[in-house]
Amino acid sequence: MTMTAIRIELAKYFVAGTLAFLSDFSVFLTLTKGFDVHYLLANVFGFCLGLTVSYLCCIRWVFAHRTYGAARVELPVFLGISLVMLLVGEVILLGLVEYAALTTTVAKIVMTGMIFLGNFALKKLLLFRRKAAR
């Protein structure tokens, strides 16, 4: 895959990630500000909606190739990557709120930016690359 193609996928991933973030963030804000739900729990609920948006965008629009092409194989790997990144995000969010004294809203935005490229790299490497010719 050429660098231009990777840049195009990264740009599409940024747009898809923005849509997923807006979905996630709206749930996060609604729960934390509207219903006084603890920020770490609200993050998990927001994550679930964002994950759904992200997966649909990735398989339908962002990536040119699907390594497996079958959701029964692909979805568990996608969920595994996402769960690892959720745990990393929870630790970062906790650190930013409890130790760096950021507001939950600012911490959520910073945390999302911090894990964006890791998500892209893992999904591209494990799920959305052309199969090697045999």
Side-chain angles (χ1 to χ4, degrees):
M1 180 170 252
T2 66
M3 284 306 293
T4 301
I6 291 172
R7 284 188 192 108
I8 290 169
E9 284 185 343
L10 183 58
K12 286 181 174 183
Y13 188 77
F14 180 79
V15 171
T18 300
L19 292 174
F21 172 74
L22 291 173
S23 303
D24 175 340
F25 197 58
S26 65
V27 170
F28 178 80
L29 285 178
T30 299
L31 292 176
T32 57
K33 306 298 182 196
F35 295 97
D36 203 30
V37 173
H38 191 274
Y39 68 93
L40 292 175
L41 182 59
N43 186 55
V44 172
F45 284 109
F47 167 84
C48 290
L49 180 58
L51 174 67
T52 303
V53 171
S54 177
Y55 181 71
L56 292 174
C57 287
C58 284
I59 64 170
R60 298 191 191 285
W61 181 61
V62 173
F63 293 105
H65 303 287
R66 292 170 70 178
T67 305
Y68 302 105
R72 64 179 166 60
V73 176
E74 187 176 82
L75 188 56
V77 176
F78 192 93
L79 289 173
I81 292 167
S82 298
L83 287 175
V84 167
M85 296 311 281
L86 171 64
L87 291 174
V88 170
E90 287 279 278
V91 170
I92 292 169
L93 191 58
L94 177 72
L96 291 173
V97 170
E98 301 298 329
Y99 301 105
L102 296 180
T103 66
T104 56
T105 304
V106 172
K108 173 75 173 172
I109 294 167
V110 171
M111 177 270 297
T112 301
M114 291 174 75
I115 63 173
F116 174 81
L117 286 177
N119 263 319
F120 175 80
L122 287 171
K123 289 172 184 168
K124 178 68 180 163
L125 178 68
L126 298 175
L127 290 171
F128 299 108
R129 60 184 163 77
R130 187 181 305 224
K131 284 185 179 179
R134 295 180 191 219

